[in-house]
Structures are given as structure tokens and as C-alpha cells.
Amino acid sequence: MSAPPARNPTRARQLGFLQAINRAQHEEMTRDGSVVLMGQDLRANVFGAAAGALDAFGPARVRDLPLAEAGSVGVAAGAAMAGLRPIVDLTVASFVFGAMDQFVSQLAKARYMFGGQATLPVVVRAALYYQGGTAGHHADRPYPMFMNVPGLKIIVPSTAPDLLGLLKSAIRDDNPVLCFEDANLWGRKGRGPAIPDDVEHLVPLGSAAIRRPGTDVTIVGIGLGSYLALEAAEELAAEGVSAEVIDPRTLVPMDWPTILGSVGRTGRCVVVDPANRTCSAASEIAARVVEDCFGALRGPVARVTTDDTHVPFSPALEKQIYPTQAKVVAAVRRALA
């Protein structure tokens, strides 16, 4: 087994999403010998998220698994209860449905049902491949379903530095964490600070980020929605509207003080969520805002989400169902009116 490559003590660089994933996994596997990688075609690094892992850590800690999602998550749950800290790469978020029983009945419940005798430090990574013509079986954004399952933590990073820091924190957490990575953001660099190679970068779970301060309206954006919120805020600024943009980063646990505190100041709220509208993360945020900030509201709470429909294969049809900058701007104008 070869030694891990030395880190550059002086270099700071803007990370891409795959670089952030590889760096987080490599650093945590170096730090803790119980961390292992599991997934499809990891040893060959087919999807780019296990670069150098086999050479650095050997086949005992980089495990190729068959195309069996229920088996993959079940094996990870058992390995975690036996003392390992598995990172499972399910590749496509739509594939989580094949392992629902393992997620809900085992990962989420085992620690509670065994009275705390077992911990389940499992991280499951899955990419949100939508807006790319991947059609109904590969384009789901299923994170809201898991928000309804006690015992699971959920992160949806929207920048590479956040992905690096949140993934490292997730690997160290003694509870199961689902990491949903918006593939629409993979090609975007330059947002967020450059991270020096010799600096450990951690982002605590349950901590939202205020991407842009404002006074007239709060826009909460999840995943790609945070970019759309920033673009809408820029457009609205030309009209004299000051929009505060909040990126939750973690959906469970949610940073309610940051979100509710912002709405309490601005009196208006728009939530941008790439998931389907009904029972979405946007729905939960909107409901909580109405419950806790009703006296401060000066306009209706608005949701900008994907339509409640399956994803069509036709690119011309698909692009119409998702949130857009124009839809966000229109929602803010309604809230202001």
C-alpha cells in the first residue's frame, strides 16, 4: 500500500465538487482507520469520486459492491454497528428507492431501538441528476422524503467548500447522514473561499449560510435554488429591492434561528426548492415561518418548486417544470405586492 500524497502547505485553491469529495474522503480516511468506502466501480474510479483511494488505502478499505442498493446500505449498517464508518456511494439519488427499507427500518431506527447500544456512523452520498434529459428514473430529488424519517440527518451542499466541510463533519458524526449533491453545480467554481491544502475545513451540521444580506425579503434557496436566489437578488437590486439570501446547507437538523431571524427582520419569505412542491422542504420551511413569524409577516410566504409531475425526457418539456430565476423574481414581486 502506498503512502497518501503529501499535502501542499502553502497552496490555496478553488475546489470543484469532485475535488471536494475526494479531499474530504481522503483526509478522513487518513485521520481514522475505521473509515471505509463502499460503492460501484470505486476501485476503477469510474465516476471520479474515489481518485487515488485504492492506491492510498488498499482493497480492504475501498470496497466495490454489486448493483444492489438495499444490499449496499444494509452492509453499511451492519459494518457501522461492528465498528466501521462506511461512506456509501449510491451515485444517483433516484437509486435510494431501492434501499428504502434499509434506510427507514435499519439505519434510522437501530440506534433508538437498541437503546443506544449501537451507533450507525454511515454516510450515503447520492447525486441529484436533473435538468439533463435523464428522465423519470434518474432525475428525482428525493431528500424531502427522508426529512420525514426521524434518525436521519440530511445535507444538500451548494458550494464545493461547503461540500468539503459538511462531508467531513458527516463522516465524523455517529448518526447516519444522507449527502445529496446537486449535479447542476458540479461545473461551477469560484463560489466560496479558496481552501489551503494544509488547513482543515469543517462546516458543522445544522448551520445555514447567509449568502447575501438584505432588508426587504428573505429568499431561502436549497441546492441549485441558492444560485437562483442570488441571481434573482441581483436582478431585484436593480429595482431597489434588497433581498437576503439564505442557504440552509443542512435540512436535518435545520438552522431555524438563522431562517426565522431573517424573516423576522424582512417580513417576507420566498423558498426556492428543486424538489416537487407537495411535502417539499420548501413546504416545511414555509409552514414553520408562518407558525413562528406570523406577527412579523408583511406578505404571503411563497414557494418556488418543481411541478408535481414526473420528469419528462424531452428537454423542451423538462426545463419548464423546475424553478428558474424568472420564477423567483416573480414570487418576490408577489410577496412585495
Side-chain angles (χ1 to χ4, degrees):
M1 185 189 309
S2 61
R7 294 166 67 186
N8 188 330
T10 58
R11 185 182 180 192
R13 55 180 173 172
Q14 294 285 352
L15 294 174
F17 267 59
L18 286 176
Q19 291 172 311
I21 294 167
N22 281 301
R23 177 169 164 179
Q25 293 176 162
H26 193 102
E27 289 180 0
E28 292 307 302
M29 292 180 78
T30 301
R31 187 187 69 87
D32 185 344
S34 67
V35 178
V36 296
L37 289 181
M38 299 179 175
Q40 286 81 46
D41 299 315
L42 293 179
R43 293 178 180 178
N45 192 35
V46 169
F47 299 102
L54 180 62
D55 290 339
F57 303 107
R61 297 181 65 194
V62 181
R63 298 281 184 153
D64 275 345
L65 301 178
L67 289 169
E69 287 76 20
S72 298
V73 177
V75 164
M81 287 189 280
L84 296 180
R85 307 184 79 88
I87 306 168
V88 183
D89 186 350
L90 286 186
T91 63
V92 180
S94 295
F95 297 167
V96 299
F97 300 129
M100 285 300 287
D101 183 57
Q102 295 298 321
F103 278 117
V104 176
S105 299
Q106 305 304 329
L107 271 187
K109 295 179 180 177
R111 185 174 187 177
Y112 173 80
M113 296 187 71
F114 296 150
Q117 297 179 79
T119 58
L120 286 94
V122 177
V123 174
V124 179
R125 292 184 40 254
L128 305 167
Y129 285 107
Y130 63 102
Q131 263 189 171
T134 52
H137 279 167
H138 291 78
D140 295 292
R141 290 84 52 227
Y143 47 85
M145 296 183 181
F146 294 98
M147 293 175 66
N148 194 247
V149 181
L152 300 177
K153 297 186 178 183
I154 301 169
I155 58 177
V156 187
S158 68
T159 71
D162 282 350
L163 176 54
L164 169 64
L166 286 167
L167 188 54
K168 285 171 64 68
S169 294
I171 295 168
R172 299 182 187 190
D173 201 291
D174 282 336
N175 300 284
V177 181
L178 278 64
C179 177
F180 290 98
E181 302 147 10
D182 196 323
N184 291 279
L185 306 177
W186 281 6
R188 303 196 185 202
K189 288 187 179 182
R191 186 173 160 206
I195 308 298
D197 285 353
D198 63 335
V199 173
E200 182 167 67
H201 181 65
L202 291 169
V203 176
L205 304 186
S207 172
I210 299 177
R211 301 295 187 195
R212 179 186 178 116
T215 57
D216 296 324
V217 61
T218 298
I219 309 177
V220 182
I222 298 166
L224 179 62
S226 67
Y227 279 84
L228 300 176
L230 286 168
E231 292 165 354
E234 197 69 34
E235 179 178 341
L236 290 161
E239 305 173 11
V241 176
S242 174
E244 181 152 292
V245 176
I246 295 179
D247 182 350
R249 303 193 292 191
T250 302
L251 297 181
V252 181
M254 189 83 75
D255 183 355
W256 291 116
T258 295
I259 295 172
L260 299 176
S262 175
V263 178
R265 294 190 302 272
T266 66
R268 300 177 181 88
C269 182
V270 173
V271 190
V272 189
D273 182 359
N276 294 102
R277 186 176 186 83
T278 301
C279 296
S280 58
S283 298
E284 180 62 23
I285 294 170
R288 185 69 181 270
V289 165
V290 171
E291 286 179 348
D292 290 1
C293 296
F294 186 79
L297 290 175
R298 291 182 282 169
V301 178
R303 293 172 292 160
V304 182
T305 64
T306 298
D307 296 338
D308 284 334
T309 181
H310 295 299
V311 176
F313 176 70
S314 164
L317 294 176
E318 183 184 12
K319 68 180 182 181
Q320 298 179 44
I321 69 174
Y322 299 120
T324 63
Q325 177 182 338
K327 292 179 181 179
V328 177
V329 170
V332 171
R333 288 173 177 157
R334 289 195 301 271
L336 291 169

